[in-house]
């Protein structure tokens, strides 16, 4: 295909059929999802993701964008809770098709989310393209690849990664201008010392100088919001029967909450549900399915893995994990 044809494809083929609002640099993204993204786990809007950078990555299921998706999934794994990658499919594939593509290409299993809604869309044409939101939800970086092999050139990727790294640093140390004493609360949180972080923030909000007290009160609110987000995610995993993942989300959190009575009460209620006799079958099924999923992540939908899913679904019939296994068999057999 010649360069002119590639330019036409990049420029016109994947522009949205319905014009979404265009987000300008420096503007706060306010998108609310009409349909929960795949793997949203309680996230209903971009506002729910405040406090961490959000990389909105536009891709297409029939383009040469696989390397772009794979690169960003590496970042999602490396940054973990300090980043949210939101993939937006631009070719009207539909939720089921997207799930099938992501499953068969072994892209699921991280914290990344998947949607067709043009969240934080900055009005560019072509794909791949991206919008990077700051911890406060502002658009701080965007771009489209043009015709460079349907991928971003290395220095552009470095620019995106550097911007994410800076936002992650601010997440761990507090926003620019945060007094040093208050930064200590953010740093304690980053180390997993939640109880100490809250105690410091609350003490400074009561006893500090006016500027310190104000920043400390904001820090306490932000840290509480982060824990709330983790508890919402845990509750969503419980509802989905993904108890193996829920346990990983909950591990250590209770010991860290200390005197935060309201948050601790919510945690203990979730922990009690997780450990209850009523959830025994779901716990066992979730742990067993996790082993098969690890094989799928490395070997894909080979015959042996498909048969393992089918045997699993029969053995654990009636559980949510069995329903997930049946869905994986169905999606794994779809033509993508």
């Amino acid at each position: 295909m010649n360069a002119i044809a590639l330019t036409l494809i990049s420029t016109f083929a994947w522009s949205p059929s319905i014009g979404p609002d265009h987000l300008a640099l420096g503007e706060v993204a306010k998108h609310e999802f009409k349909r929960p993204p795949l793997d949203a786990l309680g996230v209903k809007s971009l506002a729910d993701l405040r406090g961490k950078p959000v990389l909105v990555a536009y891709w297409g299921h029939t383009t040469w964008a696989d390397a772009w998706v794979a690169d960003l999934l590496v970042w999602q794994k490396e940054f973990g809770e300090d980043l949210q990658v939101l993939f937006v499919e631009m070719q009207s594939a539909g939720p089921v098709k997207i799930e099938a593509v992501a499953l068969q290409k072994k892209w699921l299993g991280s914290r990344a989310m998947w949607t067709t809604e043009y969240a934080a869309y900055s009005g560019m044409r072509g794909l791949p393209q991206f919008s990077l939101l700051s911890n406060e939800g502002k658009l701080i970086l965007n771009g489209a690849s043009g015709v460079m092999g349907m991928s971003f050139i290395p220095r552009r990727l470095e620019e995106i990664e550097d911007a994410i790294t800076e936002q992650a640093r601010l997440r761990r140390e507090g926003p620019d201008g945060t007094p040093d004493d208050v930064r200590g609360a953010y740093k304690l949180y980053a180390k997993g010392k939640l109880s100490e972080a809250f105690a410091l923030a609350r003490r400074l909000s009561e006893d500090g100088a006016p500027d310190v007290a104000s920043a400390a009160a904001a820090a306490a609110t932000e840290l509480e919001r982060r824990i709330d987000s983790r508890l919402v995610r845990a509750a969503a995993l419980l509802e989905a029967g993904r108890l193996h993942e829920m346990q990983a989300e909950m591990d250590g959190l209770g010991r860290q909450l200390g005197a935060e009575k309201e948050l601790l009460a919510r945690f203990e209620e979730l922990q009690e549900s997780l450990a209850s006799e009523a959830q025994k079958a779901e716990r066992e099924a979730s742990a067993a399915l996790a082993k098969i999923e690890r094989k799928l992540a490395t070997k894909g939908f080979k015959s042996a893995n498909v048969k393992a899913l089918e045997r699993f679904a029969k053995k654990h019939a009636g559980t949510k994990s069995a329903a997930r296994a049946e869905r994986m068999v169905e999606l794994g057999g779809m033509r993508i």
Side-chain angles (χ1 to χ4, degrees), residues 119-313:
Y121 180 64
S122 58
M124 295 186 176
R125 293 177 181 271
L127 60 83
Q129 63 173 278
F130 74 94
S131 297
L132 177 61
L133 306 179
S134 71
N135 296 334
E136 293 77 31
K138 294 181 180 179
L139 179 63
I140 57 174
L141 199 65
N142 61 1
S145 69
V147 296
M148 300 295 293
M150 297 305 293
S151 187
F152 287 93
I153 57 178
R155 67 174 179 271
R156 189 58 164 155
L157 288 172
E158 290 174 6
E159 181 184 8
I160 301 170
E161 187 172 17
D162 287 347
I164 294 172
T165 299
E166 175 62 12
Q167 290 301 308
R169 182 189 68 81
L170 294 173
R171 171 179 164 83
R172 293 190 297 269
E173 299 180 5
D176 284 334
T178 300
D180 288 343
D181 287 348
V182 181
R183 286 192 185 280
Y186 286 98
K187 292 178 180 179
L188 285 168
Y189 178 93
K191 293 178 180 178
K193 300 179 179 180
L194 276 60
S195 181
E196 294 177 41
F198 278 115
L200 176 59
R202 298 201 192 287
R203 178 174 63 78
L204 291 174
S205 69
E206 296 172 359
D207 302 335
D211 61 329
V212 172
S214 177
T221 298
E222 169 60 17
L223 298 182
E224 183 175 350
R225 190 199 57 73
R226 293 183 191 181
I227 298 301
D228 173 77
S229 178
R230 292 174 66 176
L231 293 173
V232 167
R233 179 181 174 85
L237 288 167
L238 176 66
E239 177 64 24
R242 294 164 60 173
L243 305 190
H244 187 73
E245 296 171 71
M246 180 189 178
Q247 186 62 68
E249 193 75 30
M250 301 281 283
D251 279 347
L253 185 57
R255 295 191 302 274
Q256 298 167 0
L257 287 175
E260 300 304 310
K261 294 182 180 180
E262 182 178 342
L263 293 173
L264 184 60
R266 288 174 59 191
F267 169 86
E268 289 176 341
E269 182 178 355
L270 286 169
Q271 187 64 50
E272 184 177 344
S273 295
L274 175 62
S276 69
E277 183 65 24
Q279 293 289 349
K280 181 179 179 181
E282 293 285 2
R283 285 196 306 273
E284 293 175 352
S286 180
L289 182 57
K291 295 179 181 179
I292 301 175
E293 287 179 306
R294 286 194 287 271
K295 294 180 181 178
L296 288 170
T298 57
K299 302 296 185 180
F301 279 85
K302 292 188 175 182
S303 176
N305 290 335
V306 173
K307 290 179 180 178
L309 284 171
E310 292 171 340
R311 289 194 300 270
F312 170 88

